[in-house]
Amino acid sequence: MQIKNGFEQSVYAICLLSMLPAKSVLPGEAISNQIGASPTYFQKILRKLADSDLITSVPGKKGGFKLKKTPSEIRIYDIFLAIEGQQALYYSNNVLGEMIHKKDKEACVLSDLMERAETSWITVLKSETISTLFTELHKEKDLQDWVNQNLVQQTNNQN
C-alpha cells in the first residue's frame, strides 16, 4: 500500500488552518505554496476535505479556508478517509488456493493477520487528532508567523 502525498499534505494543511485566529481564513493558493503542492492539484484536495466536513470554504475576494470542526474533533483517520477513501488495505489474490488447487474456496493464511494489522492501524489513526499534532506545530514560531502573514481577516457579514 502506498498512501498518497495528498494525505500528508492534507494533514499539514489542516494543521495550518488550526493555527488561525477566529474570523480568519487562509487562501488555498497560499496553503498549496507553503506545503509544496501544485495549486490545481491542491484545490482537489481542499474540495475533498470540504466535502468531508473537515474544512469550509469561504468564497469571495477575501475568501479562503478554515476549519469546520475544532482540532480535537478532527481525527487523523477522518483525513485519511477524506483523501484515500474507505477501502481494505489488503486483498487476497488466493495465491495459496491456487498453490493447493482450492479454487472453489479462498485459502489465505495471510488474511487474518492482515485484517488484524489493518484494525490496529485504524485504531491508532482514530486515536490521534489534529490537536496532538497542533501541540507540536505550535512550538514552531516561523510557522505561526507564516500563518499570521498569510491569513485573511473576515468581516462580520462573512462566515
Side-chain angles (χ1 to χ4, degrees):
M1 175 192 74
Q2 178 76 31
I3 296 174
K4 298 176 188 133
N5 286 340
F7 170 67
E8 180 181 11
Q9 293 167 341
S10 297
V11 169
Y12 288 117
I14 289 178
C15 285
L16 290 173
L17 294 174
S18 73
M19 300 172 90
L20 285 171
K23 297 187 179 187
S24 299
V25 296
L26 276 175
E29 189 170 340
I31 300 170
S32 68
N33 288 338
Q34 180 65 8
I35 64 171
S38 100
T40 305
Y41 169 74
F42 198 66
Q43 285 298 324
K44 293 175 185 176
I45 289 174
L46 291 171
R47 180 58 33 221
K48 286 181 177 184
L49 295 172
D51 289 346
S52 297
D53 286 333
L54 300 174
I55 65 173
T56 188
S57 172
V58 177
K61 184 178 178 182
K62 291 191 172 197
F65 294 88
K66 63 182 180 177
L67 294 182
K68 193 165 188 176
K69 298 178 178 183
T70 65
S72 62
E73 294 174 315
I74 301 174
R75 300 174 305 168
I76 304 304
Y77 186 66
D78 299 330
I79 301 167
F80 177 79
L81 286 179
I83 302 305
E84 298 286 336
Q86 189 161 1
Q87 74 246 352
L89 302 179
Y90 174 77
Y91 295 100
S92 172
N93 291 310
N94 199 27
V95 171
L96 179 61
E98 294 290 327
M99 288 174 21
I100 60 175
H101 307 292
K102 283 192 173 182
K103 295 180 183 180
D104 59 324
K105 182 181 176 194
E106 183 178 308
C108 182
V109 295
L110 246 180
S111 291
D112 288 341
L113 170 67
M114 296 305 288
E115 187 175 318
R116 287 194 328 264
E118 182 174 350
T119 300
S120 295
W121 185 77
I122 289 170
T123 300
V124 169
L125 291 183
K126 284 182 174 181
S127 71
E128 299 295 330
T129 66
I130 288 298
S131 292
T132 309
L133 300 178
F134 175 76
T135 302
E136 290 301 311
L137 283 178
H138 196 54
K139 297 174 186 175
E140 300 294 329
K141 185 178 175 347
D142 291 343
L143 200 51
Q144 185 63 60
D145 289 345
W146 179 88
V147 169
N148 293 339
Q149 291 169 1
N150 286 278
L151 65 83
V152 176
Q153 283 293 129
Q154 298 293 286
T155 58
N156 288 339
N157 62 351
Q158 291 178 311
N159 293 336

